Amino acid sequence: MSCLTVYLESDAHRPELRTADPALIAAHLAHNGILYERWTADVPLPASADADAVLRVYAAPIERLTEARRYCTVDVVRVTPETECVAALRGRFLDEHTHDEDEARFFVEGAGAFYIHLKSRVFRMVCETGDLLSIPAGTPHWFDMGAKPHFTSIRFFSRPDGWVSTLTGDTIAARFPCFEPDAVRAA
Ligand SMILES: [Fe+2]
């Protein structure tokens, strides 16, 4: 279940807010400059769908978003526990970092958790199937795909020369709970 949890940056144990209401999630994130939308596929997408099929099914919202945000390329990434060097891949995004461009992701299936550090707060957004999230360029954040990752996402890029992470050096990520999909679903 898609879920937004908001914490004071100084207290990772007592959230100020937790909601699974898409309208409330979108409103809270928009208030902080973060885009959140729900997209649905016009036709069923089989689990084995390749990248071209994924991009075809979501062609209309992809075109709308790329035009509105001036993104120039998109791709599709699929991560599973069998993905090569998956632990190292997870580790690449676990420390707080920024990018020179938006981090815009649509979850075709599966789940992952973004932690966005803004205005003395941490916004923990667990994204699942149908969630589009765009974190503005320069916003400190980290991402946890979990110990047994499983997701397919569409990535949007503004620059043809790729997407670079810059670590902030802040160790805040270590104080916040990891993404454990089973624990989230039980909460
Ligand atoms: Fe990132």
Side-chain angles (χ1 to χ4, degrees), residues 93 97-99 103 105 114 135 139 141-143 163 165:
F93 308 110
H97 61 274
T98 61
H99 306 285
E103 179 158 339
R105 301 288 184 268
F114 288 93
I135 302 170
T139 305
H141 67 280
W142 63 98
F143 174 69
W163 175 66
S165 298

Side-chain angles (χ1 to χ4, degrees), residues 20-140:
D21 180 327
L24 268 181
I25 292 172
H28 276 281
L29 293 179
H31 186 68
N32 290 280
I34 301 157
L35 177 67
Y36 172 78
E37 295 180 350
R38 293 281 306 159
W39 294 1
T40 52
D42 293 334
V43 295
L45 197 61
S48 59
D50 63 14
D52 287 345
V54 168
L55 295 175
R56 257 197 318 274
V57 163
Y58 291 101
I62 289 171
E63 183 177 356
R64 177 177 53 78
L65 186 69
T66 53
E67 286 187 6
R69 297 271 169 149
R70 299 180 185 276
Y71 299 139
C72 64
T73 57
V74 298
D75 70 7
V76 176
V77 61
R78 177 168 286 152
V79 179
T80 72
E82 288 72 44
T83 297
E84 193 174 342
C85 301
V86 71
L89 182 66
R90 180 191 186 197
R92 278 179 57 192
F93 308 110
L94 283 178
D95 291 320
E96 188 183 82
H97 61 274
T98 61
H99 306 285
D100 289 340
E101 62 176 273
D102 296 354
E103 179 158 339
R105 301 288 184 268
F106 172 70
F107 280 74
V108 176
E109 52 98 27
F114 288 93
Y115 301 72
I116 304 157
H117 187 189
L118 267 177
K119 301 176 187 173
S120 304
R121 287 179 167 75
V122 171
F123 299 78
R124 181 182 193 259
M125 182 63 217
V126 174
C127 289
E128 297 210 343
T129 304
D131 287 340
L132 178 282
L133 188 72
S134 180
I135 302 170
T139 305

